[in-house]
Amino acid sequence: GENVEQHPSTLSVQEGDSAVIKCTYSDSASNYFPWYKQELGKGPQLIIDIRSNVGEKKDQRIAVTLNKTAKHFSLHITETQPEDSAVYFCAPMNYGGSQGNLIFGKGTKLSVKP
Amino acid sequence: DAGVTQSPTHLIKTRGQHVTLRCSPISGHKSVSWYQQVLGQGPQFIFQYYEKEERGRGNFPDRFSARQFPNYSSELNVNALLLGDSALYLCASSSLPPRQLNTEAFFGQGTRLTVV
C-alpha cells in the first residue's frame, strides 16, 4: 500500500516569510496530489491540488509542485500570514485504484508568528 | 448551502459500549466516506459508500460498520468500544462516484469520541 511521509512535522516562520512542506509517497500509480489545511476544531479543507500531468500549480499565495520521478510533491506558501497557522496534510491518491480513498500523511503544524 | 454536517459533535462513552455517529452530506452529493483521526495523526480511511453501496473499506476491525440511507446520509457504528477508539471521526462527501478524477472531498467538522 501507499506509504506517505511529510516533512517537517512542525514549522515555525515569521509573518511574511515563505513556508515549504514536502510530501514523499511510495505508490508510483498515484495520480492525484492534494493538500489539505486543518484548523483547530475543524475538518480538513482542500486548499490546492495537482494532477499527475502537471508539474506546478499556483493559486495566489500557495503553490504545489510535483516531481513524479522522485515521487514527492511540495506545498509552497509565500507571504505567510497568522491565519495560515494550521496543520497541513498531503493525501496522494490513485484514482482508479483498488480503494480510491485519500491516504493522509501525519501532518505538518505550521505556526506563523506576527 | 449547508456543508457536511455531523452529529453529535462530542461524545463520551464507556469501554464495551457501542456508538452511532451520523453524517449528512452536502445536498446532491451521493458519496460519503468515513475517516478516523487519532490525536496528532492524519485521518485514516474507514469506509466509503456511494448510492447506498459500500465501495471501499479500510483496515479496521469488524466492530466498525456503516451504512448509507436513501437520502445519502450515513451512519458509522462502532461496537465493543476500546480506549483506542478515542478519536475524531470525520465524514466527507463527494459529488461523483469513487475513483473519478475531479471529485473533491468536503469534510465535516467531525465527532470527537472519547472512550473512558
Side-chain angles (χ1 to χ4, degrees), chain B residues 42-60:
Chain B
Q44 189 173 358
F45 173 69
I46 310 175
F47 286 110
Q48 184 174 52
Y49 277 79
Y50 180 76
E51 291 274 16
K52 296 170 288 180
E53 290 187 3
E54 181 182 305
R55 294 295 196 94
R57 173 185 288 250
N59 188 22
F60 279 81

Side-chain angles (χ1 to χ4, degrees), chain A residues 24-88:
Chain A
T24 304
Y25 60 95
S26 62
D27 186 357
S28 56
S30 293
N31 49 23
Y32 175 62
F33 307 93
W35 284 96
Y36 282 82
K37 175 183 181 182
Q38 187 173 28
E39 297 175 288
L40 203 59
K42 296 185 178 180
Q45 180 185 9
L46 178 70
I47 56 172
I48 196 166
D49 58 14
I50 196 168
R51 313 308 193 206
S52 59
N53 58 342
V54 178
E56 182 175 355
K57 182 178 178 181
K58 193 173 181 180
D59 182 5
Q60 299 183 351
R61 295 187 299 107
I62 60 173
V64 55
T65 57
L66 171 65
N67 185 329
K68 281 215 78 179
T69 303
K71 290 190 280 188
H72 66 73
F73 61 111
S74 297
L75 175 68
H76 304 256
I77 306 175
T78 59
E79 300 172 25
T80 53
Q81 300 168 3
E83 51 265 38
D84 294 329
S85 296
V87 180
Y88 292 82

Side-chain angles (χ1 to χ4, degrees), chain A residues 31-32 36 38 41-46 51 89 93-107, chain B residues 35 37 40-45 48 55-58 88 90 98-105 107-110:
Chain A
N31 49 23
Y32 175 62
Y36 282 82
Q38 187 173 28
K42 296 185 178 180
Q45 180 185 9
L46 178 70
R51 313 308 193 206
F89 293 97
M93 182 175 174
N94 172 16
Y95 272 94
S98 59
Q99 293 275 46
N101 56 282
L102 296 165
I103 299 176
F104 287 84
K106 291 187 177 181
Chain B
Y35 290 80
Q37 186 176 22
Q41 301 291 316
Q44 189 173 358
F45 173 69
Q48 184 174 52
R55 294 295 196 94
R57 173 185 288 250
L88 179 68
L90 294 161
R99 305 184 188 82
Q100 283 206 14
L101 214 53
N102 298 320
T103 177
E104 177 180 346
F107 284 84
Q109 289 191 300

